[in-house]
Structures are given as structure tokens and as C-alpha cells.
């Protein structure tokens, strides 16, 4: 029986704040990959961006990490990893992927010989001994990220290639985006399109962190749009009130 | 102009016989779980506990009279109405009678046009005596539905149209289908409700 490839999903972003939409990305992506019959999703990582990214209205990383942690309390497979946010400076996505991939490899059971970390089949008595396959780390994002690949000077060509060739992407479509267009408009993406999984999110959810920040600033309710624990945290720490601080 | 002092979720009676409708006691239980973290909304099983299905206007009448009964009692013919007494020149204002408004998606306004679905007299009573708060979903233009109806136009001051900025296509139909197909619905409904659904084997697609 063909065994499934283990996959870990990595989502980078501001998570300013984390919302139910972000959390849905993981659930929808996992269901999709499982339905292909080829993959088994064994984990998810949320990696909030470094403060030095200097995006407008970005609250301090320790808050964004704390909120993600609260949001993930009820998840048995997704975790937040503060590594990216704790580095001295902002780093490109591909470096975050490389880091988490090597962490994944380091956490595998150690085997002897030059095939360190790779799956082998030993057959001393004729029966196959299969070691766990190396998990693949895939970048989980909205399909709008595919569009940003076209923006001049935003991504390094070599990085785009490494992302789609060495890691792979799972892109969840949002309304107003036609991800197949973005792929057919790029030679690199076309070449590795088998490694770019397009997932339709049937619930066309326009929920965004931007909307949440604006609603909070205007004193409107965001209950049921993000986990209660995150809303409580936001209120306790006076975040997103619109006061410059 | 308004202060919202409460919210009531009233699950429909089983005898409405809608396709895939699970037993009312489950739907009430799930609503109760979903409302655990709300400090102002409650579920009321009265409608679901009646012997038969009843029209919306009757549910409104029932809950409105319950509201009136729960007001502080005052003497005299103005039972339950706000008065201002001024024995010493200062105003004593009794609590105003709360208004009970029907909260729904703006698509309900459209269903008013469906022949034989609503009684004209009921539509009028709903918009005249109670009032509506209609939250718009994508694909609906509620102002059209109002301008297309003389009754609605006449009482449009009593029909509050609310734009839900987050264009959310989430529906119970979607949830039931996802559950039936073994897909995750986490973060689309409260965890406590998902747990209840799994524990009671609801929406699995098996006919039972």
C-alpha cells in the first residue's frame, strides 16, 4: 500500500491580529491535501512576521505571538512558532521555510549511513522495513500571494523558484482572485504547478485582519470573527484602539 | 435611538418539516452551547415546544407579551407604559416598553414577495407593530425589495437595513454538507457545538 507523504503547513504573515479566517486556511488546506490521497498533514505552523517588517499598524510581535497562541489553544495540530519574529531583522519567506524544514529534519528519528533522514526500505528477511518518509514543508497562503509574485522587485526570482520547487505551496483562493491565471502567467509557476495546490474556499470569506482592526477602532463587535480568548487579550492590552503609542 | 437589551434565538418547530431538520431538542441544545459566552443573547425553546408549527407573527406576539409581563408593574390604566411623574417638579421616568424586532437576513424581505408564503396581514403586523432588522447578505439588494412592496414602503422607517461588511457566505446548508463529507467545520461554528454534533452523530448523512 502506497503510503502518504507527510506534510507540514507553514503560514507566514502579520497575523495582526489572527482571525478565524487564518485558522480556516489550515483546516481547508488539510482537508484538500487529504482528499488527494497523496498526503497526510501532520502539523501546521503559524509564523508571525518580524516587527522590522515595519508594516503600518503592526503591533509588537510578542502580542501577535501571544494572540496566535491563544487562538490555537483548541487546535491539536497547529502551533505558533515565534522564531521568525525573534530574529534581529526581517527575513525573506524562503529563509523561514529553510529554517523550519531543517528543524523538521532534525526532529526525525536518526538513522545510520549516508542516507541520513531519508526513507529506506531494508529487507534483511525479505520483509520491508520502511522508515518514516521525510515530511514536506509547504507554504500555506492565500492565492493572492501568487499574484504578488508578479510585482516587480517584491520577490527574488531565485526564491520563487526555490519555494515552488523545493517546498511547494498550498494556496487557498479568496474572492476576486483567479489563481490559475497567476500560474499560467509565469514560466516558473507553470513549470512547478504540480507543486502548487489550489484550494477553493467555498465559504467566500472576506474577513481580514484589516477589517478587524477597523471595527475595533470604531468600537464595533468582532465577536464570532476571532476566538474569544484573542478578543479578551486585545481588550486587556488595549490593542487596536487607534491611539498612536 | 435604541438600546438593545436582549436577543432571543427561537428555533423552529419540528413540524415545519424542512428537509434534514434535526430534532428540535438538539437544535435548542446546540444554540444553548453556542450562546454560553454571550451575555445578552438567549435561546428560547417555546416555539419548538408547541404542538405544531406556527407563523412568525405568532412567535413575535408571544415573546412581546412575555416582555410586557416581565416589566415592573404599575397601577392605573397605563399598565406597562412609560410615564413621567412630577410630584416635586422632578421627572420620574419608568422604563419604556421594549420593542421586539424581528432580526433576519435581508433575503427574508425577498420572501415576502413569494405568493402564498406569508399572509399580507402578517407582513403588515410584523413591520407595523414590531419592526425588522435585516442584515444583508451578498447577492441581495434589500432596498429593491422594499420599494417593490407598498406595505414595506409604508413602514420602511421600521425596517432597519444593516450592511454586514464581512461578506460571509457561511450557511447551515454548507455546514451540513461539509460534515456529511467529513470535512472540517472548525472556526465556522463554536467548538462546543461541533463537539455536540459529533457526540450525537448529527449531520452524518445516514438516514435515521
Amino acid at each position: 500500500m502506497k503510503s502518504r507523504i507527510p506534510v507540514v503547513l507553514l503560514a507566514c504573515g502579520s497575523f495582526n491580529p489572527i482571525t478565524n479566517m487564518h485558522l480556516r486556511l489550515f483546516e481547508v488546506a488539510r482537508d484538500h491535501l487529504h482528499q488527494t490521497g497523496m498526503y497526510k498533514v501532520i502539523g501546521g505552523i503559524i509564523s508571525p512576521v518580524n516587527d522590522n517588517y515595519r508594516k503600518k499598524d503592526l503591533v509588537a510581535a510578542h502580542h501577535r505571538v501571544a494572540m496566535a497562541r491563544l487562538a490555537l489553544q483548541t487546535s491539536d495540530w497547529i502551533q505558533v512558532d515565534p522564531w521568525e519574529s525573534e530574529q534581529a531583522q526581517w527575513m525573506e519567506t524562503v529563509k523561514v521555510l529553510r529554517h523550519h524544514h531543517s528543524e523538521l529534519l532534525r526532529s526525525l528519528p536518526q538513522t545510520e549511513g549516508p542516507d541520513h533522514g531519508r526513507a529506506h526500505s531494508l529487507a534483511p528477511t525479505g520483509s520491508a522495513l520502511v522508515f518514516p518518509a521525510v515530511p514536506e514543508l509547504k507554504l500555506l497562503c492565500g492565492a493572492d500571494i501568487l499574484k504578488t509574485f508578479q510585482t516587480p522587485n517584491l520577490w527574488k526570482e531565485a526564491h520563487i523558484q526555490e519555494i515552488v520547487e523545493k517546498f511547494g505551496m498550498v494556496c487557498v483562493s479568496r474572492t476576486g482572485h483567479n489563481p490559475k491565471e497567476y500560474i499560467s502567467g509565469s514560466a516558473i509557476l507553470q513549470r512547478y504547478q504540480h507543486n502548487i495546490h489550489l484550494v477553493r474556499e467555498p465559504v467566500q470569506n472576506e474577513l481580514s485582519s484589516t477589517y478587524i482592526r477597523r471595527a475595533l477602532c470604531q468600537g464595533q463587535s468582532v465577536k464570532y470573527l476571532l476566538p474569544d480568548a484573542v478578543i479578551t487579550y486585545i481588550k486587556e492590552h488595549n490593542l487596536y484602539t487607534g491611539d498612536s503609542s
Side-chain angles (χ1 to χ4, degrees), chain A:
Chain A
M1 186 176 98
K2 185 168 175 248
S3 55
R4 292 167 172 243
I5 300 168
V7 169
V8 173
L9 297 171
L10 171 71
C12 300
S14 307
F15 300 102
N16 187 34
I18 192 166
T19 70
N20 284 342
M21 177 211 64
H22 295 124
L23 301 165
R24 277 303 293 164
L25 288 183
F26 281 89
E27 298 289 315
V28 166
R30 180 170 71 160
D31 281 343
H32 175 89
L33 289 180
H34 284 181
Q35 269 165 346
T36 65
M38 298 197 305
Y39 300 100
K40 174 155 175 53
V41 177
I42 60 171
I45 302 170
I46 284 186
S47 178
V49 78
N50 195 286
D51 282 335
N52 289 322
Y53 188 53
R54 297 209 179 291
K55 198 169 176 183
K56 184 172 177 290
D57 302 330
L58 194 67
V59 310
H62 69 91
H63 284 314
R64 291 180 288 114
V65 168
M67 289 187 282
R69 193 162 278 133
L70 287 168
L72 293 170
Q73 273 173 341
T74 65
S75 177
D76 60 4
W77 67 283
I78 313 167
Q79 300 174 17
V80 60
D81 193 312
W83 178 84
E84 177 183 357
S85 66
E86 289 170 352
Q87 301 313 298
Q89 54 195 352
W90 172 77
M91 55 174 46
E92 292 117 323
T93 302
V94 76
K95 294 178 180 165
V96 184
L97 280 160
R98 291 175 194 157
H99 164 79
H100 287 290
H101 191 247
S102 67
E103 288 292 294
L104 258 183
L105 295 183
R106 288 196 324 136
S107 69
L108 289 176
Q110 296 298 309
T111 57
E112 293 181 349
D115 287 330
H116 228 124
R118 297 175 72 85
H120 357 258
S121 295
L122 307 177
T125 58
S127 57
L129 232 165
V130 179
F131 282 76
V134 174
E136 295 187 7
L137 180 70
K138 298 201 178 302
L139 182 64
L140 169 64
C141 55
D144 50 331
I145 296 298
L146 282 180
K147 186 170 192 206
T148 71
F149 283 170
Q150 299 166 6
T151 307
N153 302 323
L154 188 56
W155 298 81
K156 293 190 169 96
E157 289 277 308
H159 287 186
I160 297 177
Q161 172 145 354
E162 186 175 339
I163 289 172
V164 295
E165 180 185 6
K166 299 226 154 69
F167 299 103
M169 298 177 73
V170 183
C171 303
V172 182
S173 63
R174 291 176 77 160
T175 53
H177 292 275
N178 185 356
K180 289 192 175 153
E181 261 177 39
Y182 307 144
I183 294 183
S184 50
S186 153
I188 293 182
L189 299 187
Q190 264 200 300
R191 187 165 161 206
Y192 295 101
Q193 60 181 298
H194 56 280
N195 226 4
I196 303 172
H197 301 268
L198 300 177
V199 186
R200 275 233 150 266
E201 161 61 297
V203 177
Q204 288 192 353
N205 208 329
E206 296 296 319
L207 177 59
S208 70
S209 295
T210 305
Y211 170 80
I212 296 291
R213 292 195 300 272
R214 198 181 316 137
L216 286 167
C217 194
Q218 296 172 359
Q220 290 167 347
S221 164
V222 294
K223 196 165 166 66
Y224 312 119
L225 298 179
L226 47 169
D228 281 341
V230 179
I231 300 177
T232 303
Y233 184 99
I234 288 172
K235 289 187 159 38
E236 285 175 352
H237 292 84
N238 251 338
L239 304 178
Y240 309 117
T241 53
D243 306 332
S244 35
S245 46

